[in-house]
Amino acid sequence: MLATATDILSPEKKSDAVDAAALANILRVDMDAHRPLPADSEPAQAVAVLARAPQDAVWDRGQTHNKLRSQLREFYPSVLAAFADKRDGLCSREARTILAAAPTPTAAAKLTRRRLQSPL
C-alpha cells in the first residue's frame, strides 16, 4: 500500500503505518536528493552521554525507591505507614535515619524516644 497525499494530509487516517509508507516512498523516488547523516563526533557523543546522565540517575533512584518500598511492604510495613504522608516519604532524611537506627521491626521495638531523638 503506497501512501497518497490524501492519506498523509487526512488527520483521521494518520498512523505509523501511513507515515512509514510515505517515508519509504520518498526515499524510493528521491533517493539521490537525500544523503545519510554524518556520524556524531567523539565530543558530541560525550555530550550526549553527559546529557543523559541526570535522567539516568532519576530513573535509577525511582527504581531503587520502588524496590525498597516493595521489600518494606513485605518485611517492615510499619515504616511505610510512618512515612506515607510525609513530603519525601522514604526518600526523606528522617526516614533514612530511622531505617539506619532501626533496620528491623525487632530493633524498632527496642528503640526508646531518647535513642530515636539523638540521631534526628
Side-chain angles (χ1 to χ4, degrees), residues 24-118:
N25 197 34
I26 289 169
L27 286 176
R28 183 183 61 81
V29 173
D30 297 326
M31 183 68 132
D32 297 339
H34 302 282
R35 62 177 174 76
L37 292 174
D40 285 341
S41 66
E42 199 170 305
Q45 290 173 355
V47 167
V49 168
L50 291 174
R52 277 192 308 268
Q55 184 61 53
D56 290 345
V58 168
W59 286 337
D60 288 345
R61 180 178 187 233
Q63 203 171 33
T64 303
H65 180 259
N66 290 338
K67 288 177 184 177
L68 175 62
R69 284 181 49 79
S70 178
Q71 291 294 318
L72 289 173
R73 188 177 300 119
E74 295 294 320
F75 176 68
Y76 199 174
S78 59
V79 82
L80 284 179
F83 290 98
D85 60 342
K86 303 298 183 219
R87 181 169 175 255
D88 292 327
L90 291 173
C91 294
S92 69
R93 178 178 293 148
E94 293 84 5
R96 292 191 315 266
T97 302
I98 288 176
L99 281 170
T104 66
T106 305
K110 294 177 184 176
L111 275 179
T112 63
R113 182 176 288 243
R114 180 178 290 268
R115 286 184 56 203
L116 189 57
Q117 285 176 339
S118 64

Side-chain angles (χ1 to χ4, degrees), residues 4-23:
T4 64
T6 307
D7 291 335
I8 294 170
L9 298 176
S10 175
E12 64 275 356
K13 291 190 176 188
K14 192 90 170 120
S15 72
D16 289 340
V18 172
D19 291 345
L23 289 171

